[in-house]
Amino acid sequence: ARPNQLPPEGSWTTWLLLAGRGFGKTRTGAEFVRSEIENNRAHRVALIAPTAADTRDVMIEGESGLLNVCPPWNRPKYEPSKRRLTWPNGAIATMYSADEPERLRGPQHDLLWADELAAWRYPQAWDMAMLGLRLGTPRAVVTTTPKPTKLIQALTKSDTVAITRGSTFDNRANLAPAFFEQIIQKYEGTRLGRQELYAEVLTDTPGALWTRDLIEAAHATSDPPELVRVVVAIDPAVTSGEESDETGIIVAGIDHDKHLHVLEDGSMRGTPSEWATKAVRLFDQYAADRVVAETNNGGDLVEATLRTVRRNLPYRKVTATRGKRMRAEPIAALYEQHKAHHHGNLSTLEDQMVTFTPDTIDSPDRLDALVWAATELTNKRLSDNTRLRAASGLK
């Protein structure tokens, strides 16, 4: 191991390894877990990656995964169907997916290995994992390429976190020469290269419509006022597999002063029936006036799916005729005018907002749903349901 692949000295609860592509983060995490188990310092281990496939393919079966770093005399028994590794000394490591935070609610562990934390879709998975880290002398190791997410930034400022930084170049001797000839030449000196090669945490993205300061200013410190209109907006995913995009589901309202209030992010990955059921549940919970949904991908099937859950659901389809940035710019202006307010935990939505640029490759599902909700609210007249909402005492 290189010096920056060894555990830091001193007292720490979490070891945050922020390193570039090809640094050897996976090997470092696997060797640390192996060492803790061999020295009887860890007996119940949680292994968590962005998806279940990542946990299996990278942390367990990958070239630098646990099965390949453990010597033959201490190789664990691998039971994929049970999501479990069992070592000869009785230590057990269990595989989890950050896409399923609720599965982390019950189990207890004394060691956690979190891989590519910056890519986790649900930051609450980290909270659930840490709440279960309550056996023995609990520790966590995080191996990730950094992104300017709220969670990564919070960890870098914590007194209980030991940080190790490294770049792609630290591991040059073990990487293919073609990688440096082609990839490095392309990204050296670029902002993406600073993040992916040098592991810099870049707080603001050039060209992004939202900054962290704008988002922080939008955080509400009190309950929303009386809302004159509330909508549930949906940006449906085309597929529902493990690697599919999420379906963006955002609940938002507008008050008498025409201020936008984002009330809940109900985005999820699931079947059409599952996201339709959740959208209708949120519609009822917030006594909303209408559901709006983008139909560029699903067409009339989106409405048909919603109406299988609620036949008389107030619904309007919207179709994208302009680019995402053009649709988002008027909504970003509300934030600049301090006419937009966020209520509750919307951290994943906010991460999408501050990293969205015209060059963004990943589909900003939550952001799209937010834009559709805000557009519907700011372009429509006040609903007759205002009187019903006021009479029911809902804000």
Side-chain angles (χ1 to χ4, degrees):
R2 300 186 306 273
N4 61 358
Q5 288 183 294
L6 297 174
E9 298 180 355
S11 177
W12 51 269
T13 302
T14 301
W15 175 19
L16 176 60
L17 179 56
L18 293 174
R21 300 285 188 92
F23 167 88
K25 297 185 295 296
T26 303
R27 180 65 181 269
T28 303
E31 292 284 3
F32 179 71
V33 170
R34 180 189 66 80
S35 175
E36 293 294 287
I37 289 174
E38 286 182 7
N39 289 283
N40 292 310
R41 291 191 294 263
H43 305 279
R44 293 293 181 272
V45 183
L47 308 173
I48 313 175
T51 68
D54 293 329
T55 308
R56 180 192 65 236
D57 298 341
V58 178
M59 303 177 80
I60 306 298
E61 301 177 6
E63 286 187 358
S64 300
L66 283 166
L67 291 179
N68 283 318
V69 304
C70 289
W73 57 266
N74 199 33
R75 186 181 178 88
K77 178 183 178 183
Y78 181 31
E79 299 174 278
S81 62
K82 296 182 179 180
R83 302 178 293 109
R84 188 166 68 193
L85 294 170
T86 305
W87 273 260
N89 66 359
I92 295 174
T94 306
M95 304 156 55
Y96 299 96
S97 167
D99 276 348
E100 299 178 293
E102 292 302 311
R103 283 183 175 267
L104 292 159
R105 187 172 290 276
Q108 301 181 91
H109 305 97
D110 52 21
L111 179 61
L112 162 67
W113 175 16
D115 192 45
E116 294 299 348
L117 180 64
W120 289 14
R121 293 176 187 258
Y122 303 107
Q124 59 265 39
W126 173 256
D127 296 327
M128 292 296 101
M130 293 303 287
L131 288 170
L133 203 60
R134 51 183 184 261
L135 297 177
T137 304
R139 282 187 165 187
V141 56
V142 178
T143 52
T144 187
T145 304
K147 286 185 179 180
T149 66
K150 193 172 184 178
L151 177 54
I152 293 296
Q153 293 190 47
L155 288 175
T156 60
K157 298 174 183 177
S158 173
D159 294 334
T160 62
V161 176
I163 302 176
T164 298
R165 300 179 185 272
S167 77
T168 303
F169 300 91
D170 294 341
N171 197 30
R172 183 162 192 159
N174 296 312
L175 298 175
F179 176 78
F180 282 89
E181 293 173 6
Q182 300 173 19
I183 304 300
I184 302 299
Q185 287 182 7
K186 182 176 180 179
Y187 295 106
E188 179 73 35
T190 67
R191 183 178 179 84
L192 184 61
R194 289 171 57 196
Q195 174 178 286
E196 300 295 323
L197 303 178
Y198 290 93
E200 294 185 34
V201 181
L202 307 175
T203 55
D204 284 327
T205 303
L209 295 178
W210 287 270
T211 65
R212 286 288 174 188
D213 288 342
L214 273 181
I215 297 298
E216 289 298 326
H219 286 165
T221 57
S222 60
D223 293 336
E226 182 180 22
L227 301 176
V228 297
R229 197 159 188 268
V230 174
V231 300
V232 178
I234 306 172
D235 178 53
V238 180
T239 59
S240 58
E242 184 179 283
E243 303 297 331
S244 301
D245 291 330
E246 291 179 300
T247 290
I249 306 175
I250 297 294
V251 184
I254 196 167
D255 64 23
H256 289 282
D257 296 324
K258 298 183 178 180
H259 281 222
L260 175 70
H261 296 266
V262 187
L263 305 174
E264 184 165 337
D265 179 1
S267 303
M268 61 176 291
R269 187 185 294 106
T271 65
S273 176
E274 289 170 340
W275 59 251
T277 299
K278 185 168 188 177
V280 171
R281 178 178 63 78
L282 290 172
F283 176 88
D284 292 338
Q285 178 181 337
Y286 287 91
D289 298 85
R290 187 174 296 278
V291 172
V292 297
E294 181 180 1
T295 59
N296 286 54
N297 292 323
D300 293 337
L301 289 176
V302 175
E303 179 178 2
T305 302
L306 287 165
R307 295 209 183 282
T308 60
V309 180
R310 177 75 54 79
R311 175 182 289 274
N312 61 343
L313 185 73
Y315 170 82
R316 191 171 83 86
K317 67 179 181 180
V318 290
T319 304
T321 58
R322 299 182 298 166
K324 291 181 179 180
R325 184 182 181 91
M326 292 184 65
R327 299 198 307 271
E329 281 179 345
I331 311 309
L334 292 176
Y335 287 78
E336 294 172 353
Q337 298 163 2
H338 303 292
K339 293 183 178 180
H341 312 278
H342 285 192
H343 299 270
N345 181 6
L346 302 171
S347 57
T348 307
L349 167 65
E350 293 168 355
D351 288 341
Q352 283 194 357
M353 294 170 73
V354 299
T355 56
F356 171 69
T357 72
D359 299 324
T360 299
I361 297 175
D362 295 333
S363 176
D365 32 63
R366 298 164 189 252
L367 173 57
D368 276 352
L370 168 64
V371 169
W372 288 124
T375 301
E376 174 74 12
L377 291 167
T378 54
N379 286 348
K380 290 289 184 180
R381 295 180 179 179
L382 302 187
S383 167
D384 291 338
N385 282 355
T386 301
R387 296 190 301 274
L388 296 176
R389 185 178 294 105
S392 66
L394 289 169
K395 298 295 185 181

